[in-house]
Amino acid sequence: MEAGARYPSVFVVDGPQRDVPFVPPVRRHQKTWPCCQLILGVLMLLILAGLGIQGYFLICFRKELDRATAEENAEATHEKFVQDHKPAPEKPAAHLTGASFTASGNSTLQWEHTLGLAFLQDMGYKGGSLICNKPGHYYIYSKLYLGNSGCPHNEQKNMWVVHSIYKRTPRYPEDRPLLINNILYCNSKDSTFWWHNSFLAGVVQLEENEEIYIKVSERQLVRIKDEFKSYFGAFMI
């Protein structure tokens, strides 16, 4: 070849290499993702905590509301019960308080019928007896507060106190018992003080001029002159 001739440039190209993994370039802004994820996690925890606190206060408020509603309903039910069972002005009723005994010393109790809580409404009172002026069905009740500062001797223990409601009627020669309660008195010999509440109640048919009264077998055990603990009454139903 001639000495002044130029040779073309030679480019060497490597052939493709197989089985070499491709590694993408790492971008700088990807390094900020862990920080963002942490902030998002904290925000989510705060949101969940706020929802939990709000739910707790809502539950507490609901409980208070339910309690207030229940108390209001109970009070309304009680008032309705009192109104439904309050003796009507046109119906006979009576409530006697306290307790004492007849001058003759028998077991018939005397009652206060004018003072304090006691009243008579279209019913009579005489010698410890309530007198029926209008025939009908009556709800009668009696409560006695019994007590003693000590029990009797051992040979007298386990005796019974009888609290009863009697009816006196012109149709029968003798008085008839209507309700009876037997109370075991001082069943423990080591007792230094004994007390008991005896309550009787029921519905009976009374005719005009019939009388009802209270008897107790051991009159010394009745705590007399207490209008809240011992009383006797009746009302037409």
Side-chain angles (χ1 to χ4, degrees):
M1 295 180 67
E2 297 181 357
R6 296 183 179 180
Y7 294 94
S9 301
V10 177
F11 298 91
V12 179
V13 179
D14 294 337
Q17 298 180 1
R18 300 180 180 275
D19 302 329
V20 177
F22 174 75
V23 179
V26 178
R27 297 180 181 178
R28 292 182 179 181
H29 63 83
Q30 288 183 344
K31 295 181 179 180
T32 60
W33 276 105
C35 183
C36 294
Q37 292 177 351
L38 179 61
I39 295 174
L40 289 175
V42 173
L43 290 176
M44 289 298 296
L45 289 176
L46 291 176
I47 293 173
L48 292 176
L51 291 175
I53 295 173
Q54 183 180 6
Y56 171 76
F57 282 110
L58 286 175
I59 292 174
C60 293
F61 176 76
R62 181 58 183 269
K63 289 182 178 180
E64 290 294 327
L65 181 63
D66 292 342
R67 183 180 61 83
T69 303
E71 291 179 356
E72 183 178 357
N73 292 337
E75 184 176 357
T77 302
H78 176 71
E79 292 179 356
K80 184 177 183 301
F81 177 82
V82 173
Q83 292 295 329
D84 291 343
H85 292 79
K86 185 177 181 180
E90 66 275 6
K91 289 188 177 182
H95 182 76
L96 313 178
T97 61
S100 61
F101 300 94
T102 59
S104 60
N106 60 27
S107 57
T108 303
L109 297 182
Q110 300 285 327
W111 303 90
E112 174 59 53
H113 62 283
T114 57
L115 301 178
L117 300 176
F119 70 90
L120 293 173
Q121 178 177 294
D122 200 13
M123 294 191 75
Y125 176 81
K126 180 180 179 182
S129 299
L130 280 175
I131 304 172
C132 174
N133 294 330
K134 184 182 296 185
H137 288 89
Y138 285 77
Y139 179 83
I140 58 176
Y141 58 90
S142 172
K143 178 180 177 296
L144 293 181
Y145 177 66
L146 309 173
N148 197 12
S149 58
C151 291
H153 298 294
N154 293 339
E155 61 271 12
Q156 295 179 331
K157 68 176 183 178
N158 294 338
M159 68 178 182
W160 293 90
V161 182
V162 182
H163 172 206
S164 52
I165 300 178
Y166 275 76
K167 179 172 72 170
R168 182 181 294 119
T169 174
R171 297 182 298 169
Y172 298 98
E174 297 181 356
D175 298 351
R176 303 182 61 186
L178 299 177
L179 300 168
I180 297 177
N181 189 21
N182 295 320
I183 306 124
L184 184 60
Y185 170 47
C186 258
N187 55 351
S188 175
K189 63 180 180 180
D190 297 327
S191 298
T192 58
F193 183 81
W194 177 84
W195 67 272
H196 190 86
N197 285 312
S198 177
F199 184 78
L200 291 172
V203 178
V204 298
Q205 171 72 30
L206 294 179
E207 300 296 336
E208 187 176 358
N209 294 326
E210 290 185 339
E211 303 177 15
I212 52 175
Y213 62 92
I214 306 298
K215 293 181 67 174
V216 62
S217 60
E218 303 295 330
R219 62 180 187 173
Q220 74 278 5
L221 300 178
V222 180
R223 304 297 92 190
I224 63 175
K225 298 300 182 183
D226 192 331
E227 63 179 353
F228 298 104
K229 295 182 179 180
S230 296
Y231 45 82
F232 168 42
F235 59 87
M236 178 183 284
I237 59 175

